[in-house]
């Protein structure tokens, strides 16, 4: 249909003007859904304009489209992406559809299409994505079909749906395949913002009392020392019946307060640290002057060093005739704690809890160290702190002992601690007196939580109870996700991989052995293995079985435990599985060294895996002529089988390994004896069986080399 007011251009005329053959032009026109019969067909003015715009720059644009897919890898290297080929194709389709309809819409789209088809300067395409997003959200950000992303993920063996969430790492790999540079979106949700302690202005900060934990070996006088400190700080009428309502006490010296945590031995101290709670400002290590440095003393020192907390040594029992403070100082020096009077940095204070000698000096030193640490907090803000103890009390419900670390906690405040929430209904101080508010460093007993919080949970005051409930629910969800994606602790098997990724710069090791000489030999040999990539640090070494304390220290410090000729206690083994702590047991010292050396090079190849069958306790020993000693046993766990390998464990130390010679129930030979039954066990070539020994039955399974 002809329109008089519009001039017409023949196809051959346009081809001549564009310097291409009529045949090529007809082909291009057909590609764009502009139907022409032959070179004599006429074109509208707007069609001519469009063709001119498209074909003037066509060779370069064509080249761009053709090479777009072929050059994905090159673009990834450069981190640069031109307009997506897929977008061009979609736009072309839209243009064709609209062109058939004609009219004003046609002209608008024509302008849009021509402007986009004109090659631009290359530009970097960057998208910002959060930690987690759905496949659909990623597709929208990149303007691609979600199905294509799903196909790519399925090709990698990851089955997802369009509304399923993928993590940042996976999303960034997909985005890079499409030529995008990826930025991580810094999203701070309400919870993170809430638990982040905003820095206070210098003028708002006021000095706060130091929080002190007393640690040391059993029977060295920790409790006596705490009692002596309290007695010097209470009036005579209270002396007879001091009631400690909570696991912390406040004493006053020269008008300054000091807060003592009563309960934490090093186990609780480390358990709290493993949960991320750093409550203690100063540690007082109690060492008996007549006993010297003992295994638990060394353990406590290692825990304090790992926590990087100032340490004061109280040398107790100096009133005893057998007291030898200089010997204690020498032993401490050997452990790297050189006393100040000998030119070191460790403050040592001689005291006697029973005779009340040196208590004032100790308190003075605590205040001096606190002054050096410059402990300050802002009391004029909503409170935040840590739960140090929590229980369910009859008539009171959930009761939590908390230490306020910043701000002031008041009755009526809505609080959130871990995954629990509540409103402060009532507060009691360390003397059991009802109070209305508690400032920084103050320990208080709080009533009003919805559930019993965990010791070590951080608490914070929020606007109202409704908000607290919402946030607690959110935290429960986050906690569930964390449990599902719990960070794998370092293990020998994946050590090399973690070194390569740069996540391990320092390998912490705990060494337990049967004799002190082995501990020292292993410590030195392992530390000598350190290289440029990873430093091996033995954070604790001691004699005896692997205990729960060792596992908690390993968990808090992300360490592996090496046992030489020793076994883990039953509870320690269960805790290690729960905390994902790697325990390696050896009988030959060189095997331990070789394994760590091989793990550091990524060449560790486990050949055999030990599978524990059962444990039996020796209840009686029978002497049978011509046979030897037979152990009358009670099976504690699992089962004992006739063909199993066994080891005899006495006080946590392996004293013999061998095979079962005979297994009987009454007078009958049996193949196996289950848990809860009694049996007679004869061990090949071993007669030194004693009552109380533990017989562990196990078998070795071959593990395929990886």
């Amino acid at each position: 249909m002809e329109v008089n007011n519009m001039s017409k251009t023949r196809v051959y005329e346009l081809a001549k003007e564009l310097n291409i053959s009529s045949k090529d032009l007809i082909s291009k026109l057909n590609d764009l859904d502009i139907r022409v019969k032959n070179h004599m067909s006429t074109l509208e003015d707007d069609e001519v304009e469009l063709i001119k715009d498209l074909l003037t720059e066509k060779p370069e644009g064509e080249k761009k489209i053709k090479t777009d897919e072929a050059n994905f890898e090159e673009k990834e290297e450069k981190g640069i992406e031109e307009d997506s080929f897929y977008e061009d194709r979609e736009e072309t389709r839209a243009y064709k559809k609209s062109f058939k309809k004609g009219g004003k819409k046609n002209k608008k789209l024509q302008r849009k299409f021509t402007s986009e088809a004109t090659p631009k300067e290359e530009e970097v395409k960057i998208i910002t994505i959060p930690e987690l997003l759905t496949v659909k959200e990623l597709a929208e950000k990149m303007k691609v079909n979600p199905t294509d992303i799903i196909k790519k993920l399925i090709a990698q063996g990851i089955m997802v749906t369009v509304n399923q969430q993928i993590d940042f790492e996976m999303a960034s790999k997909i985005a890079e395949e499409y030529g995008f540079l990826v930025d991580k979106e810094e999203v701070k949700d309400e919870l993170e913002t809430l638990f982040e302690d905003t820095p206070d202005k210098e003028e708002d900060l006021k000095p706060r009392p130091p929080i002190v934990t007393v640690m040391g070996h059993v029977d060295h006088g920790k409790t006596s020392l705490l009692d002596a400190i309290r007695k010097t700080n209470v009036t005579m009428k209270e002396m007879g019946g001091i009631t400690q309502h909570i696991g912390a006490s406040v004493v006053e010296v020269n008008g300054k307060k000091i807060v003592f945590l009563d309960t934490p031995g090093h186990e609780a101290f480390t358990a709290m640290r493993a949960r991320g709670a750093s409550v203690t400002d100063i540690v007082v290590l109690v060492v008996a002057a007549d006993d010297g440095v003992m295994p638990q003393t060394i353990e406590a020192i290692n825990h304090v060093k790992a926590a990087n907390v100032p340490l004061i040594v109280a040398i107790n029992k100096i009133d005893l005739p057998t007291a030898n403070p200089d010997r204690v100082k020498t032993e401490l020096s050997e452990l790297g704690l050189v006393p100040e009077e000998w030119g070191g940095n460790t403050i040592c204070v001689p005291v006697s809890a029973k005779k009340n000698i040196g208590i004032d000096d100790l308190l003075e030193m605590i205040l001096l160290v606190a002054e050096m640490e410059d402990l300050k907090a802002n009391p004029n803000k909503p409170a935040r702190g840590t739960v140090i103890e929590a229980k369910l009390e009859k008539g009171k419900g959930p009761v939590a002992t908390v230490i306020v670390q910043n701000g002031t906690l008041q009755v009526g405040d809505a609080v959130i601690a871990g995954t629990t929430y509540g409103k402060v209904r009532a507060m009691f101080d360390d003397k059991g007196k009802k109070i209305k508010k508690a400032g920084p460093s103050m320990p208080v007993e709080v009533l009003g939580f919805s559930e019993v919080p965990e010791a070590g949970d951080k608490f914070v005051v929020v606007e109202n109870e409704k908000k607290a409930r919402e946030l607690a629910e959110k935290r429960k969800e986050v906690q569930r996700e964390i449990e599902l994606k719990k960070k794998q602790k370092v293990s020998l098997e994946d050590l090399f991989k973690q070194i390569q990724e740069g996540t391990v710069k320092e390998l912490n090791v705990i060494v337990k052995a049967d004799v002190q000489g082995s501990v020292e030999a292993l410590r030195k040999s392992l530390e000598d293995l350190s290289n440029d990539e990873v430093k091996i640090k033995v954070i604790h070494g001691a004699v005896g079985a692997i205990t729960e304390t060792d596992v908690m220290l390993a968990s808090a410090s992300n360490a592996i435990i090496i046992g030489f000729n020793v076994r883990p206690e039953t509870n320690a083994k269960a805790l290690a599985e729960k905390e994902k702590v790697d325990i390696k047991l050896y009988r030959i010292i060189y095997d331990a060294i070789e394994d760590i050396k091989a793990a550091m090079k990524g060449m560790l190849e486990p050949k055999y895996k030990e599978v524990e069958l059962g444990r039996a306790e020796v209840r009686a020993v029978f002497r049978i002529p011509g046979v030897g000693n037979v152990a009358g046993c009670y099976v504690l766990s699992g089962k004992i089988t006739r063909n199993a390998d066994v080891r005899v464990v006495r006080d946590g130390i392996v004293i013999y390994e061998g095979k079962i010679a005979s297994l009987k129930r009454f007078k009958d030979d049996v193949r196996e004896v289950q848990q809860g039954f009694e049996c007679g066990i004869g061990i090949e070539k071993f007669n030194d069986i004693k009552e109380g020994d533990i017989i562990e039955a196990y078998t070795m399974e071959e593990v395929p080399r990886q």
Side-chain angles (χ1 to χ4, degrees):
M1 189 177 100
E2 288 199 16
V3 180
N4 293 330
N5 63 349
M6 288 184 74
S7 60
K8 303 284 186 181
T9 306
R10 305 245 178 221
V11 170
Y12 79 92
E13 289 171 347
L14 182 59
K16 195 175 179 182
E17 191 179 327
L18 293 170
N19 200 19
I20 59 170
S21 69
S22 298
K23 189 180 174 184
D24 284 349
L25 181 56
I26 292 165
S27 171
K28 307 280 183 198
L29 290 167
N30 287 336
D31 283 348
L32 291 170
D33 268 7
I34 302 172
R35 299 294 170 200
V36 288
K37 289 180 182 177
N38 54 42
H39 65 289
M40 290 302 288
S41 298
T42 55
L43 298 168
E44 300 283 351
D45 280 357
D46 52 359
E47 288 174 341
V48 171
E49 272 177 41
L50 173 64
I51 299 304
K52 279 182 179 177
D53 285 341
L54 282 176
L55 296 186
T56 307
E57 301 292 330
K58 191 66 182 179
E60 198 181 328
E62 205 169 10
K63 186 180 175 186
K64 178 179 98 60
I65 290 171
K66 281 181 184 172
T67 58
D68 215 18
E69 283 177 300
N71 288 338
F72 271 155
E73 288 177 15
E74 195 182 327
K75 286 174 190 172
E76 273 183 4
E77 285 171 26
K78 291 178 186 174
I80 289 170
E81 168 64 336
E82 297 174 357
D83 284 342
S84 170
F85 166 61
Y86 300 102
E87 283 179 53
D88 289 349
R89 197 166 60 187
E90 292 297 320
E91 288 283 336
T92 308
R93 281 204 198 106
Y95 164 75
K96 286 180 190 173
K97 265 187 184 177
S98 184
F99 194 88
K100 287 178 190 174
K101 294 174 186 175
K104 288 181 183 174
K105 188 177 176 187
N106 170 5
K107 287 183 182 175
K108 277 183 194 169
L109 187 62
Q110 176 186 331
R111 279 197 295 275
K112 179 178 178 230
F113 184 79
T114 51
S115 66
E116 286 186 9
T118 308
K120 302 173 188 174
E121 285 184 22
E122 289 186 333
E123 57 177 286
V124 178
K125 277 197 159 186
I126 300 172
I127 57 168
T128 306
I129 58 175
E131 182 64 50
L132 290 169
L133 78 167
T134 62
V135 172
K136 188 180 177 184
E137 286 166 350
L138 179 63
E140 282 170 2
K141 279 182 182 287
M142 296 195 298
K143 294 181 183 160
V144 298
N145 194 328
T147 317
D148 295 339
I149 295 176
I150 292 169
K151 281 178 188 171
K152 283 184 183 292
L153 289 167
I154 289 171
Q156 293 173 28
I158 300 157
M159 305 300 289
V160 291
T161 62
V162 72
N163 291 319
Q164 201 164 323
Q165 284 190 328
I166 53 174
D167 60 23
F168 175 80
E169 195 179 335
M170 203 184 291
S172 57
K173 279 180 187 170
I174 296 292
E176 280 166 18
E177 281 186 43
Y178 284 99
F180 287 87
L181 284 179
V182 180
D183 266 355
K184 193 169 186 178
E185 193 179 314
E186 290 296 326
V187 180
K188 283 192 180 176
D189 66 2
E190 244 181 317
L191 277 171
E192 279 181 37
T193 315
L194 188 68
F195 278 87
E196 261 185 17
D197 200 356
T198 47
D200 295 293
K201 293 176 184 171
E202 192 61 40
E203 60 267 24
D204 294 337
L205 295 172
K206 297 204 169 79
R208 67 172 176 83
I211 301 164
V212 181
T213 301
V214 179
M215 293 162 76
H217 192 75
V218 69
D219 288 337
H220 276 203
K222 297 190 292 290
T223 312
S224 306
L225 183 64
L226 272 169
D227 285 343
I229 288 167
R230 287 193 210 108
K231 282 174 188 172
T232 56
N233 284 276
V234 292
T235 57
M236 287 303 290
K237 61 178 180 180
E238 288 174 326
M239 252 178 81
I242 303 160
T243 309
Q244 280 306 305
H245 288 269
I246 59 178
S249 48
V250 183
V251 300
E252 201 165 312
V253 188
N254 303 330
K256 292 180 180 177
K257 288 179 179 175
I258 303 172
V259 178
F260 285 93
L261 295 189
D262 295 5
T263 45
H266 49 260
E267 296 92 343
F269 177 80
T270 308
M272 287 177 77
R273 197 163 63 81
R275 290 200 189 99
S278 47
V279 183
T280 308
D281 298 316
I282 301 166
V283 169
V284 171
L285 179 71
V286 180
V287 187
D290 63 331
D291 215 0
V293 172
M294 299 298 279
Q296 267 183 287
T297 315
I298 297 167
E299 225 167 86
I301 290 168
N302 291 331
H303 284 255
V304 174
K305 279 182 180 172
N308 197 20
V309 178
L311 178 73
I312 296 172
V313 178
I315 303 171
N316 195 18
K317 304 186 182 180
I318 56 160
D319 56 308
L320 296 177
T322 51
N324 188 350
D326 284 344
R327 189 186 67 149
V328 174
K329 289 176 185 175
T330 306
E331 288 172 349
L332 288 170
S333 300
E334 286 167 7
L335 295 168
L337 299 177
V338 183
E340 274 189 333
E341 57 265 40
W342 291 6
N345 296 319
T346 307
I347 298 171
C348 293
V349 184
V351 296
S352 168
K354 289 278 163 72
K355 297 280 171 86
N356 210 9
I357 301 166
I359 303 295
D360 290 339
D361 293 342
L362 177 63
L363 294 172
E364 203 176 307
M365 285 302 160
I366 291 170
L367 289 173
L368 182 67
V369 171
E371 200 178 305
M372 296 299 289
E373 290 293 305
D374 195 26
L375 304 168
K376 286 183 176 179
N378 178 6
N380 303 314
K381 61 190 273 192
R384 57 179 63 237
T386 304
V387 177
I388 56 168
E389 218 175 82
K391 59 191 173 187
L392 196 62
E393 227 174 85
K394 201 174 178 182
K396 285 185 178 179
V399 175
T401 301
V402 303
I403 279 200
V404 181
Q405 287 170 290
N406 213 347
T408 300
L409 184 64
Q410 302 188 28
V411 172
D413 281 347
V415 290
I416 173 170
T419 55
T420 65
Y421 69 94
K423 187 176 181 181
V424 181
R425 311 283 178 208
M427 284 195 297
F428 302 91
D429 67 7
D430 61 312
K431 307 289 187 297
K433 185 183 163 192
K434 205 169 183 179
I435 56 170
K436 289 195 174 176
K437 59 182 184 178
S441 294
M442 283 299 104
V444 282
E445 193 176 70
V446 174
L447 273 61
F449 277 101
S450 58
E451 297 165 44
V452 179
E454 290 267 342
D457 277 347
K458 288 183 163 45
F459 80 83
V460 67
V461 169
V462 292
E463 300 156 30
N464 52 51
E465 206 173 346
K466 187 186 173 190
K467 188 84 172 166
R469 188 190 293 113
E470 281 173 22
L471 291 170
E473 291 303 321
K474 270 193 198 171
R475 290 206 93 187
K476 274 185 183 167
E477 284 173 33
V478 172
Q479 195 68 32
R480 275 195 287 271
E481 280 178 33
I482 290 169
E483 284 301 316
L484 290 170
K485 294 181 175 181
K486 195 168 183 185
K487 177 179 173 278
Q488 186 67 38
K489 294 280 194 291
V490 66
S491 69
L492 276 191
E493 275 69 26
D494 64 3
L495 175 63
F496 179 69
K497 185 183 165 196
Q498 293 191 25
I499 293 169
Q500 293 297 92
E501 289 171 358
T503 51
V504 172
K505 300 284 184 204
E506 194 171 75
L507 175 66
N508 291 331
V509 180
I510 292 169
V511 175
K512 292 303 285 277
D514 52 345
V515 290
Q516 190 60 40
S518 300
V519 174
E520 293 310 317
L522 257 172
R523 182 196 289 268
K524 189 171 186 315
S525 303
L526 292 174
E527 286 178 344
D528 287 348
L529 292 177
S530 297
N531 59 27
D532 295 340
E533 288 172 335
V534 63
K535 182 187 174 193
I536 294 178
K537 187 178 175 188
V538 178
I539 58 170
H540 178 53
V543 173
I546 295 162
T547 63
E548 285 181 80
T549 311
D550 299 323
V551 176
M552 282 312 300
L553 177 58
S555 176
S557 309
N558 200 13
I560 63 167
I561 299 173
I562 288 179
F564 178 67
N565 272 350
V566 294
R567 304 290 302 155
E569 291 173 355
T570 313
N571 293 348
K573 199 170 184 182
L575 186 63
E577 283 170 17
K578 184 186 165 195
E579 294 288 332
K580 305 279 189 294
V581 170
D582 194 25
I583 298 179
K584 294 284 175 189
L585 304 168
Y586 298 94
R587 296 278 286 157
I588 299 163
I589 202 163
Y590 299 108
D591 285 352
I593 296 158
E594 286 305 314
D595 269 10
I596 289 200
K597 201 185 285 181
M600 286 167 71
K601 292 176 185 170
M603 295 162 66
L604 183 67
E605 295 183 344
K607 297 175 191 173
Y608 291 94
K609 183 175 74 173
E610 182 186 300
V611 178
E612 191 178 299
L613 297 174
R615 297 168 77 249
E617 184 185 6
V618 178
R619 297 276 172 94
V621 180
F622 304 101
R623 174 83 186 155
I624 299 173
V627 177
N629 286 350
V630 171
C633 299
Y634 177 79
V635 183
L636 299 170
S637 63
K639 62 182 179 181
I640 308 293
T641 58
R642 171 72 183 77
N643 58 353
D645 292 312
V646 291
R647 64 170 65 87
V648 181
V649 181
R650 189 173 294 158
D651 300 326
I653 311 291
V654 180
I655 59 166
Y656 182 78
E657 280 190 358
K659 284 198 165 289
I660 290 178
S662 61
L663 182 66
K664 290 179 183 284
R665 278 272 295 149
F666 302 107
K667 290 182 180 179
D668 303 324
D669 282 309
V670 289
R671 284 188 180 177
E672 64 176 49
V673 180
Q674 294 283 351
Q675 177 181 342
F677 290 96
E678 292 176 336
C679 61
I681 300 174
I683 299 171
E684 280 182 13
K685 300 174 187 173
F686 185 71
N687 280 320
D688 183 27
I689 299 170
K690 292 184 181 173
E691 285 182 28
D693 286 353
I694 299 290
I695 294 174
E696 290 184 359
Y698 64 95
T699 183
M700 300 300 284
E701 276 185 10
E702 193 167 346
V703 176
R705 286 174 183 268
Q706 294 177 353

